[in-house]
Amino acid sequence: MTRQSRTSPAGSERSLHQAYDTALLDLDGVVYAGGEAIAYAAESLAAARAGGMHLAYVTNNALRTPGAVAEHLGELGIPTEAAEVITSAQAVARLISEQVEPGSKVLVIGGEGLRVALRERGLVPVESADEEGLAAVVQGYGGPDLPWSRFAEASYAIHRGVPWYASNTDLTIPGARGIGPGNGAAVEVVRIATGAEPQVAGKPLPPMHRETVLRTGAERPLVVGDRLDTDIEGAFNGEVDSLLVLTGVTDAAQLLRAEPRHRPTYVDRDLRGLLTGQPEVAAAGEDFRCGGWTAVAGEGVLELRGEGDPVDGLRALCAAAWTQAGDGSCALDAGKALARIGL
């Protein structure tokens, strides 16, 4: 895949777990939500692994260590080694280590995942802005109970000129009760207080993609995610293919409005999509056909007729919407069309 504008979801005659050597899987909203496995995730991943696909879990959540994430996945019925987990904490720790001296002190605003990643790179995590010789401030998701005083601690150091780094800037994070504020919301607090801008490592930016490739050795990777602005854009920036699953943050309406960098290669309901091929979307004049559905961009609206698998209808609608939008974002009303397929 190149970075040209995508105007339709792609098809694949081969099942995706056979067409790609490694799945780079997001966690929150893809494999689990609120600590519980998403439906069909465990069995789909087991089948993909048995079919020869390597699995790597790539998360912007910097709270937990790779070992803790692997243990949790095992409890959900997904046997995983710590080395198969790549976090934004690891990516930002590498980024910092390339810009400061070995053994430097780094103020941590976040959880244990950041501390472990910093130590892995030979850096010393500290808790106070008053530490002598402080070389950097790093901010990552610290859970819903992270004290407000930690944001103040970061601000004190940044105001003194200490370089600021962030593991990621996801504004939201899915949980058992719904969508809550993510690390990006916390970063905004510090940005407003200081007027500074952090260096960011996580998806969709290059440091995270580099970290993932270095740790997995993937040659034909497939990014699997639920977010357009991190997972899919990260795949676009890394010039690799992607699969969007509809089990997390992104809904069908947002997908239809996606700009080029947010358009996935493939779309499916959940992780069962790894085990199947992907149907082609066929263009016939102004019509776009997928399965039993036909979509067309009408006067101010997206129209859909036919019947069949709802996701095929969504694929056809994507082709009509993205073609109409070109390099922009589709502004057509898709409400009635989406109601027909229940997505």
Side-chain angles (χ1 to χ4, degrees):
M1 173 184 161
T2 63
R3 291 175 60 160
Q4 64 188 11
S5 294
R6 176 170 294 284
T7 57
S8 174
S12 175
E13 293 185 0
R14 301 174 66 193
S15 65
L16 298 185
H17 79 290
Q18 295 172 332
Y20 298 89
D21 69 346
T22 307
L24 306 180
L25 296 131
D26 184 46
L27 286 172
D28 291 312
V30 175
V31 178
Y32 56 64
E36 299 297 326
I38 288 173
Y40 309 108
E43 52 265 50
S44 297
L45 293 171
R49 187 190 292 275
M53 187 178 226
H54 300 294
L55 306 179
Y57 301 94
V58 185
T59 178
N60 263 0
N61 190 330
L63 177 60
R64 293 185 293 174
T65 66
V69 173
E71 181 179 357
H72 180 217
L73 288 171
E75 293 169 352
L76 298 179
I78 306 169
T80 307
E81 300 292 332
E84 296 175 309
V85 179
I86 300 95
T87 73
S88 63
Q90 294 171 320
V92 77
R94 188 186 297 271
L95 182 64
I96 296 169
S97 71
E98 294 170 342
Q99 299 181 27
V100 304
E101 294 296 322
S104 292
K105 296 178 182 178
V106 180
L107 174 62
V108 175
I109 311 300
E112 186 63 14
L114 279 175
R115 296 180 181 88
V116 169
L118 290 168
R119 294 189 189 105
E120 184 184 52
R121 290 286 151 214
L123 301 172
V124 180
V126 299
E127 303 300 314
S128 173
D130 296 330
E131 285 277 353
E132 185 176 350
L134 191 62
V137 177
V138 63
Q139 187 172 0
Y141 184 65
D145 299 320
L146 187 69
W148 189 263
S149 60
R150 301 307 297 159
F151 304 146
E153 204 70 25
S155 297
Y156 302 148
I158 294 165
H159 273 299
R160 295 170 190 158
V162 179
W164 178 30
Y165 300 79
S167 64
N168 67 295
T169 52
D170 298 35
L171 291 174
T172 60
I173 187 169
R177 298 175 59 195
I179 305 299
N183 190 55
V187 167
E188 285 300 312
V189 171
V190 178
R191 180 185 282 124
I192 291 168
T194 63
E197 290 289 337
Q199 292 189 54
V200 183
K203 297 180 286 187
L205 297 173
M208 188 66 171
H209 183 72
R210 179 182 60 153
E211 190 73 20
T212 300
V213 171
L214 286 172
R215 289 180 180 267
T216 65
E219 296 181 358
R220 299 188 317 279
L222 177 69
V223 170
V224 184
D226 69 308
R227 299 184 68 108
L228 302 180
D229 59 348
T230 55
D231 305 315
I232 306 308
E233 185 174 342
F236 177 86
N237 289 339
E239 299 190 33
V240 299
D241 288 352
S242 60
L243 166 66
L244 178 81
V245 291
L246 302 173
T247 50
V249 168
T250 301
D251 62 25
Q254 292 169 326
L255 178 60
L256 296 182
R257 295 193 298 269
E259 298 178 359
R261 69 183 186 277
H262 291 161
R263 295 172 187 168
T265 314
Y266 310 107
V267 180
D268 223 312
R269 185 179 282 103
D270 51 51
L271 286 176
R272 288 176 293 179
L274 285 175
L275 308 178
T276 65
Q278 294 284 309
E280 294 281 353
V281 179
E286 296 182 350
D287 292 351
F288 296 89
R289 299 171 183 168
C290 187
W293 299 97
T294 299
V296 63
E299 291 294 328
V301 299
L302 284 172
E303 300 172 357
L304 185 67
R305 58 183 182 271
E307 59 183 13
D309 184 341
V311 181
D312 284 344
L314 178 59
R315 295 178 179 116
L317 285 168
C318 284
W322 298 349
T323 299
Q324 189 274 340
D327 289 336
S329 176
C330 181
L332 300 180
D333 183 358
K336 289 184 178 180
L338 292 176
R340 288 206 63 195
I341 55 177
L343 294 174

